[in-house]
Amino acid sequence: TVLNPNANWNGPTVMTALGDSLYVVQNNRLHRVNPNDGSFQLLGETSWAGATSAAAVDGSVYIVQADHLHRVNPNDGSWTVIGSARWIGATVMTSLSGWLYIVENSHLHRVNPNDGSYQTLGGASWAGATSISSVNGELYIIQNGRLHRVSPNSGNWTVIGQGTWAGPTTMSASAGSCR
């Protein structure tokens, strides 16, 4: 079913969900999208060129762009840079239990969304990670075609299944059981 035949979603760079809306960066602009009918609203005047990842936590949208972590107001698109860390090479981001998790330069980081402080988790190299999501209190990362379950506290991981996940570039999960 085509929800909004007037919308053209070719080339979006990042997407996340918050409340009952989707937030999509496309053509360097942030859009709030109604998932029921596909209608959308442009938020703010900011160019989000080069955005590499997005996630939502505690009522805000977070976007990594230009090597900085931005907290974005989901109502008007206004934003603030969070912390002083440079997120050069950040590839994927998700949220879990009030924290942000970012894979950057092959390392997994747990990030405080209030001040941008972070902790590097585990010693695994996450080079080649294409997707990250969370469900049931665990992180899941697709890296080099394999699905990994990752502890959000230690970074310890286990490969799940024997299949190869060739090609996924995004992954998402919702509350409830993962089946």
Side-chain angles (χ1 to χ4, degrees), residues 5 77 115 135 151:
D115 63 14
V135 69
S151 165

Side-chain angles (χ1 to χ4, degrees), residues 163-175:
T164 300
W165 295 88
T169 57
T170 61
M171 173 172 56
S172 182
S174 61

Side-chain angles (χ1 to χ4, degrees), residues 44-58:
E45 298 295 323
T46 300
S47 171
W48 292 101
T52 60
S53 50
V57 65
D58 296 335

Side-chain angles (χ1 to χ4, degrees), residues 39-87:
S39 61
F40 61 91
Q41 173 187 3
L42 284 172
L43 296 179
E45 298 295 323
T46 300
S47 171
W48 292 101
T52 60
S53 50
V57 65
D58 296 335
S60 293
V61 172
Y62 292 81
I63 298 175
V64 174
Q65 184 248 5
D67 304 330
H68 295 285
L69 177 62
H70 301 79
R71 179 175 35 232
V72 182
N73 180 311
N75 298 311
D76 63 13
S78 61
W79 55 271
T80 303
V81 171
I82 304 301
S84 59
R86 297 296 302 249
W87 294 101

Side-chain angles (χ1 to χ4, degrees), residues 21 37 60 119-120 131 137 171 176:
S21 296
D37 64 13
S60 293
Q119 173 188 6
T120 302
S131 301
M171 173 172 56

Side-chain angles (χ1 to χ4, degrees), residues 67-178:
D67 304 330
H68 295 285
L69 177 62
H70 301 79
R71 179 175 35 232
V72 182
N73 180 311
N75 298 311
D76 63 13
S78 61
W79 55 271
T80 303
V81 171
I82 304 301
S84 59
R86 297 296 302 249
W87 294 101
I88 300 168
T91 55
V92 293
M93 176 170 56
T94 193
S95 63
L96 175 65
S97 300
W99 294 93
L100 295 169
Y101 291 84
I102 301 174
V103 173
E104 179 249 358
N105 287 331
S106 306
H107 301 288
L108 176 62
H109 305 281
R110 180 173 52 205
V111 181
N112 181 322
N114 297 313
D115 63 14
S117 61
Y118 65 93
Q119 173 188 6
T120 302
L121 298 178
S125 170
W126 294 105
T130 57
S131 301
I132 186 171
S133 193
S134 62
V135 69
N136 296 333
E138 298 286 345
L139 298 172
Y140 291 85
I141 298 175
I142 293 179
Q143 176 207 34
N144 298 327
R146 303 302 301 259
L147 177 62
H148 302 78
R149 180 178 21 222
V150 182
S151 165
N153 297 315
S154 67
N156 294 336
W157 56 272
T158 303
V159 172
I160 305 297
Q162 297 179 10
T164 300
W165 295 88
T169 57
T170 61
M171 173 172 56
S172 182
S174 61
S177 298
C178 184

